[in-house]
Amino acid sequence: MIGAVQLGVLAACVVVLVPMGMAGYHLSRNKMLFFSGALFITLAIGVHLTPYFPSVNDFVTTVSSVVVFENRRESCLSHLHDVVWEVTPSPNFNPLDNNTVNYDKSWAWTSSSTVSACGFQKLGRFDASDLLNGSWVVVAGDSQARLVALSLLSLVLDSGPLEKVNRDLFKRHSDYQIVVGEIGMRLDFIWAPYTFNLTHLVNGFKRNRNYPDVLVMGSGLWHMLHFTNASDFGVQLQSLRSASVSLLPFSPDTGSDRPVTSSDRPVTSSGSGSVSGRSPHLFWIGMPTLINSMLNTEEKREKMTDAMRGEYDKELHNSKILRKAGGPLLLLDIESLSWNCGVRCTVDGMHYDMPVYEAALHIMLHALLIESHQKL
Ligand SMILES: *[C@@H]1O[C@H](CO)[C@@H](O)[C@H](O)[C@H]1NC(C)=O
Ligand SMILES: *[C@@H]1O[C@H](CO)[C@@H](O)[C@H](O)[C@H]1NC(C)=O
Ligand SMILES: *[C@@H]1O[C@H](CO)[C@@H](O)[C@H](O)[C@H]1NC(C)=O
Ligand SMILES: *[C@@H]1O[C@H](CO)[C@@H](O)[C@H](O)[C@H]1NC(C)=O
């Protein structure tokens, strides 16, 4: 600790020498006097006040670490999809079987230094249970959403109950609800093939003033097949966007045009590490890569072309429903995950093997961890 006297001497030296140095170079005499005065006052106030605010140092350290932490958080969110795949022929490869059984797939986050710094790791059942303890999760949408729901249940359930889920959840086109007793997690799967159905759902939450903690939605494939009209899809997305925005306490529509970030959301944990809070965490399940030649009906191959897929994508981005365009939903990018896993990860060019949805789930769980300021 430097004593007040030493500080005073130091201050005096600075007051005299700095302006003299400056004068010697490029400041006029008047400016020098002004600088001298300003420096003197600043230092005097500093010297006199420091004893009363011993925590100034702590404060400065806290502010800078918050800034670093916020930057790191945003950077880690943007690297969540940096995933690499390993797809290898399985030991009992049989040319008559399909890709699902003939190739083993596994994924991992890339080992680049930026990604390693984020410390992503696959979550085990315990971590996931801890994170989702006491929360209400709603997954709504088409078959892609159903696969995401299934991968979540595969992570938190034992194999016995999981088999029953597999049977029930795969009844075509129906809703499904389960409460996982041990962690008090409730999961609803809502069959909602069209974006219109999702808007309806979100408006229902709003009406009842009862929101899930995590809401994961996705649609588009059904619309592409049955309406084949990208601009209509865009119109539906915009109404879903306004409905979703109104679920959040601070919205891009009421404030400036800045994106809704996690720091806008109060995180009031109920369980030990749970994500349940007052406003929902919202995710969008993107459409998968479509491999046209593998689609299983003539109608699909005709309507769900690469060009049409591109137009639907453009509408998704133009609708500003996604976080990166200033909207409320964080994208789970099934397209990039499925593209990188590749043609050996699908049998019908549209539904991919479970590891693809498992990767999407882990990305979502890590986003929840990052947003609720938690570390593993
Ligand atoms: C792939 O092959 C397995 C085993 O032959 C079969 O159970 C499964 O239904 C097939 N999947 C598809 C989508 O054809
Ligand atoms: C979804 O919306 C369509 C179009 O309005 C409607 O006909 C259908 O019944 C809805 N489906 C569900 C499951 O809500
Ligand atoms: C596509 O949807 C838009 C908006 O709903 C509508 O105005 C247009 O007529 C539709 N186009 C076709 C070809 O149906
Ligand atoms: C869930 O939270 C409750 C209450 O905080 C706690 O007693 C229980 O042990 C937690 N369960 C798990 C699996 O974390």
Side-chain angles (χ1 to χ4, degrees):
M1 190 75 195
I2 308 170
V5 176
Q6 284 99 318
L7 262 182
V9 172
L10 182 69
C13 292
V14 172
V15 168
V16 174
L17 296 178
V18 170
M20 275 173 72
M22 286 171 147
Y25 287 102
H26 47 251
L27 284 183
S28 73
R29 190 183 142 79
N30 280 343
K31 277 189 186 142
M32 183 187 110
L33 285 174
F34 172 78
F35 254 91
S36 185
L39 258 174
F40 180 76
I41 293 169
T42 313
L43 283 168
I45 292 178
V47 167
H48 285 97
L49 289 188
T50 309
Y52 302 103
F53 295 99
S55 56
V56 163
N57 260 334
D58 294 350
F59 175 72
V60 172
T61 317
T62 310
V63 167
S64 52
S65 61
V66 165
V67 170
V68 170
F69 184 67
E70 283 296 315
N71 289 343
R72 211 183 85 120
R73 225 161 57 132
E74 285 306 312
S75 143
C76 287
L77 271 180
S78 71
H79 285 296
L80 274 172
H81 285 89
D82 295 3
V83 159
V84 285
W85 290 90
E86 197 179 294
V87 180
T88 49
S90 77
N92 33 12
F93 189 99
N94 175 352
L96 299 177
D97 272 344
N98 57 44
N99 292 340
T100 304
V101 285
N102 272 341
Y103 291 92
D104 296 332
K105 301 103 195 175
S106 71
W107 62 277
W109 277 285
T110 56
S111 51
S112 79
S113 57
T114 28
V115 175
S116 311
C118 295
F120 300 143
Q121 46 185 290
K122 293 191 191 178
L123 306 188
R125 178 167 338 154
F126 178 81
D127 299 317
S129 302
D130 197 35
L131 177 66
L132 296 171
N133 191 342
S135 43
W136 176 23
V137 179
V138 172
V139 182
D142 54 21
S143 50
Q144 303 290 312
R146 196 200 304 270
L147 290 164
V148 170
L150 186 64
S151 73
L152 173 57
L153 290 174
S154 311
L155 187 57
V156 299
L157 287 181
D158 285 323
S159 54
L162 188 62
E163 242 166 64
K164 181 170 160 15
V165 168
N166 246 322
R167 278 198 310 274
D168 295 347
L169 191 54
F170 274 89
K171 274 188 203 134
R172 273 176 77 78
H173 309 168
S174 57
D175 296 350
Y176 180 76
Q177 189 191 91
I178 183 172
V179 173
V180 184
E182 310 87 80
I183 55 169
M185 181 193 83
R186 172 174 156 197
L187 177 115
D188 283 282
F189 171 75
I190 313 280
W191 172 246
Y194 296 111
T195 309
F196 177 85
N197 304 123
L198 295 171
T199 309
H200 186 71
L201 177 75
V202 171
N203 284 333
F205 290 139
K206 210 166 62 182
R207 223 177 12 256
N208 301 329
R209 293 167 185 273
N210 190 17
Y211 317 129
D213 303 299
V214 181
L215 176 56
V216 193
M217 302 185 281
S219 79
L221 295 172
W222 276 62
H223 194 280
M224 197 189 295
L225 182 61
H226 297 292
F227 291 89
T228 329
N229 181 342
S231 60
D232 185 63
F233 179 60
V235 171
Q236 293 199 18
L237 283 171
Q238 275 164 28
S239 64
L240 177 60
R241 179 188 192 270
S242 11
S244 308
V245 155
S246 65
L247 286 185
L248 302 173
F250 295 91
S251 65
D253 283 356
T254 55
S256 56
D257 213 21
R258 78 206 164 85
V260 182
T261 63
S262 50
S263 50
D264 294 335
R265 307 210 180 106
V267 179
T268 50
S269 297
S270 58
S272 46
S274 123
V275 292
S276 43
R278 261 176 297 155
S279 67
H281 297 268
L282 306 176
F283 295 92
W284 179 257
I285 303 169
M287 281 194 278
T289 299
L290 296 175
I291 303 175
N292 193 270
S293 60
M294 292 174 91
L295 297 177
N296 58 13
T297 67
E298 184 55 43
E299 191 190 11
K300 285 181 185 164
R301 285 190 294 274
E302 200 174 287
K303 293 182 169 168
M304 306 177 92
T305 59
D306 288 350
M308 190 51 73
R309 171 78 176 71
E311 282 183 43
Y312 270 64
D313 236 7
K314 209 163 74 196
E315 291 295 337
L316 178 67
H317 290 97
N318 291 347
S319 73
K320 298 199 165 58
I321 196 172
L322 298 181
R323 197 78 82 71
K324 66 180 165 205
L329 277 65
L330 190 69
L331 176 68
L332 303 176
D333 192 350
I334 305 288
E335 182 180 20
S336 89
L337 295 170
S338 53
W339 171 265
N340 289 325
C341 192
V343 67
R344 289 163 181 173
C345 298
T346 178
V347 172
D348 64 5
M350 175 187 286
H351 301 96
Y352 284 77
D353 294 334
M354 281 318 279
V356 168
Y357 304 98
E358 183 198 284
L361 173 74
H362 277 79
I363 288 169
M364 181 183 101
L365 294 176
H366 271 281
L368 288 172
L369 278 171
I370 293 172
E371 301 210 324
S372 46
H373 304 265
Q374 292 176 38
K375 284 199 176 134
L376 279 179

